[in-house]
Amino acid sequence: MFWKFTRFEWKMVYINRKSWLLAIFLLLFFLLYFIYYSQEEQMSLQDQKRNEYQTSYAVFYHLDSGRHAIPEVAEVYERHTEIQSLLGMQVWNIGGGSDPEQYVEDGLEINQLRLEVHDLGNSGIPDHLIVPREDILKEDALLHYIRDNDLPIESDSFMTNHYITNGLAMMSGLLFLIILLISGNEILVYERKHHSVLKGVPITFIKKITSKVFVHSLFIFTFLILGIAIGYSYLSRNVEGGGFQFPVLMYQNDTYVAISTIQYLAYLFIGFGVVTILILLLSVLMNMMFRHAFANVLIGLGIFILPDIVRAAGFEARFLHPIKYIDINKVLSGELAAELNNPAIDFWNAMITLGIVSLVLIVIIYAWNKYTYLQVPKNNPLTKAF
């Protein structure tokens, strides 16, 4: 009976015009984003290194005046001279020199020297010219991954990663939340408004909810993956890049780890899956409580921005942090940990927390349904609340 109800629920989603509007949006989102983004001139790795070289050269103007009088500045000047020389070699090796192995080795040495400069307190260097320790560690993780996996590196090697990660970053968070809230805004209310032959089907409420969450999740994921595939097919024909083997940074255990783009996508889709289940369960609960489609979207968005409102008011409410975990891209990149000043926020901690919240929602849904069932008039015992 469960699968019969599931097939019926799939047909209900299939014939719903709202579902197809969401499907069309998901199919076209990445394609349109990549088309727009590809019109902008992207900075190659060689150009980035040239800019870095010029910025680094400006440091000498500030160090030169104090290096004869202050020993710490003299030490920083000595190390910065080595950094500048190595940056010049990197520009050459990624361009005319075509020596990617030496480019990586020079980069690792630059990172080591920059960390030593940090240990010296960046004496003599203005704040706006200091390379943050976090950026040094990120670059170091990427270069170690490239060296350990013997990847060929060229000026446009990271271009594909750049498009994919930026596109998924746009989808993650608020936009994905709105899609899920709209998808689930009538997950129970629709059945109350449009009675069907299966309203009296002998299936438990929990199995019905499981079926609905499964169908809506499958629908969203199907078109999300198809949309990414359509966008990637455009990229593969129109943009030169290094493919999915090149690394993407992931924040884990208070540090940065470089993983392949395939691994990044796997983590991201696991996160999307957990978030989808959680938001659809929340939609079920709000449908039970308010029985109004618009309330589902409005309250869902209100819950998401609640931590921002509390922080803007000057309060530190760490118990609200899990609400922001639904922005999986920010969790993976470490941006959320930095934004909330909470280094414990990484992917697996977020997944465990969201999983626990989902279980709590299931318990609340079950209890609310039991309570509602007890309110059914005794002279009409066959009436179902949902």
Side-chain angles (χ1 to χ4, degrees):
M1 187 56 68
F2 173 81
W3 291 111
K4 285 184 179 179
F5 184 84
T6 300
R7 286 195 296 270
F8 174 77
E9 185 67 24
W10 178 262
K11 290 178 181 177
M12 296 296 288
V13 171
Y14 183 80
I15 63 174
N16 194 323
R17 285 178 292 180
K18 175 192 70 178
S19 299
W20 283 107
L21 287 174
L22 292 176
I24 292 170
F25 177 81
L26 289 170
L27 285 174
L28 296 179
F29 174 80
F30 291 98
L31 175 62
L32 296 177
Y33 179 79
F34 292 152
I35 290 173
Y36 169 78
Y37 207 59
S38 63
Q39 305 306 313
E40 298 183 359
E41 186 177 351
Q42 303 299 317
M43 187 177 292
S44 67
L45 187 58
Q46 186 178 15
D47 291 334
Q48 291 176 33
K49 282 298 169 183
R50 282 201 186 100
N51 287 348
E52 190 178 341
Y53 178 84
Q54 292 167 1
T55 302
S56 179
Y57 189 78
V59 174
F60 282 112
Y61 291 103
H62 300 275
L63 292 177
D64 193 53
S65 59
R67 67 188 177 99
H68 299 294
I70 306 172
E72 291 81 5
V73 175
E75 288 188 62
V76 170
Y77 184 91
E78 181 182 341
R79 284 165 174 77
H80 196 75
T81 301
E82 294 181 59
I83 291 171
Q84 191 68 19
S85 175
L86 290 167
L87 282 171
M89 291 304 300
Q90 277 196 307
V91 173
W92 166 253
N93 287 323
I94 197 65
S98 298
D99 190 349
E101 292 182 5
Q102 191 58 47
Y103 170 89
V104 172
E105 293 302 326
D106 289 344
L108 292 172
E109 190 173 349
I110 288 170
N111 292 332
Q112 185 60 42
L113 289 166
R114 281 175 170 168
L115 289 174
E116 290 177 12
V117 170
H118 268 275
D119 292 338
L120 292 169
N122 292 291
S123 299
I125 304 177
D127 290 343
H128 69 279
L129 291 176
I130 294 174
V131 179
R133 182 181 290 270
E134 184 180 86
D135 291 350
I136 298 170
L137 296 175
K138 287 180 179 180
E139 177 77 7
D140 205 56
L142 288 172
L143 292 175
H144 271 103
Y145 182 94
I146 292 169
R147 186 184 66 178
D148 295 343
N149 291 274
D150 196 25
L151 296 178
I153 186 169
E154 298 173 357
S155 185
D156 295 323
S157 293
F158 294 90
M159 201 61 72
T160 300
N161 294 28
H162 191 66
Y163 280 96
I164 294 293
T165 54
N166 277 280
L168 288 168
M170 285 287 293
M171 175 59 68
S172 179
L174 181 61
L175 180 58
F176 194 57
L177 172 66
I178 292 172
I179 290 170
L180 292 174
L181 289 173
I182 292 174
S183 176
N185 68 342
E186 293 182 305
I187 197 166
L188 290 179
V189 172
Y190 188 85
E191 198 171 312
R192 288 178 59 85
K193 291 180 179 178
H194 307 277
H195 296 290
S196 70
V197 69
L198 290 185
K199 180 173 175 61
V201 69
I203 182 173
T204 64
F205 179 73
I206 293 299
K207 285 185 177 180
K208 179 189 288 189
I209 295 305
T210 303
S211 174
K212 288 177 176 290
V213 170
F214 171 74
V215 167
H216 282 261
S217 300
L218 182 61
F219 187 86
I220 292 293
F221 258 71
T222 298
F223 287 98
L224 177 64
I225 293 171
L226 285 174
I228 294 172
I230 292 170
Y232 180 71
S233 67
Y234 170 81
L235 283 183
S236 62
R237 290 195 302 269
N238 296 278
V239 177
E240 293 182 6
F244 281 170
Q245 74 272 30
F246 274 83
V248 178
L249 285 170
M250 173 182 175
Y251 179 78
Q252 187 174 340
N253 296 328
D254 200 18
T255 189
Y256 291 94
V257 180
I259 58 175
S260 69
T261 310
I262 290 292
Q263 287 177 290
Y264 168 80
L265 290 174
Y267 281 121
L268 196 69
F269 278 114
I270 290 171
F272 276 168
V274 173
V275 169
T276 299
I277 291 170
L278 185 147
I279 299 302
L280 290 176
L281 287 172
L282 180 64
S283 295
V284 169
L285 181 59
M286 288 192 290
N287 269 217
M288 295 173 71
M289 294 174 68
F290 304 107
R291 304 185 184 187
H292 196 285
F294 181 71
N296 188 75
V297 178
L298 187 63
I299 295 171
L301 291 175
I303 292 172
F304 180 73
I305 65 173
L306 181 61
D308 299 314
I309 295 173
V310 171
R311 281 195 301 129
F315 298 101
E316 183 64 30
R318 288 197 168 223
F319 66 92
L320 293 176
H321 286 180
I323 295 173
K324 307 300 287 186
Y325 293 0
I326 66 174
D327 193 339
I328 298 301
N329 183 75
K330 279 190 174 182
V331 171
L332 279 171
S333 67
E335 187 179 341
L336 188 64
E339 181 183 312
L340 299 178
N341 194 26
N342 186 353
I345 301 174
D346 63 16
F347 179 76
W348 291 114
N349 284 338
M351 291 302 96
I352 291 170
T353 303
L354 294 180
I356 292 171
V357 173
S358 298
L359 290 175
V360 171
L361 284 174
I362 291 172
V363 172
I364 295 173
I365 288 169
Y366 178 81
W368 192 278
N369 182 61
K370 280 291 185 182
Y371 171 78
T372 308
Y373 178 76
L374 293 175
Q375 306 306 308
V376 173
K378 293 184 178 180
N379 60 352
N380 194 12
L382 296 180
T383 300
K384 289 187 176 182
F386 301 101

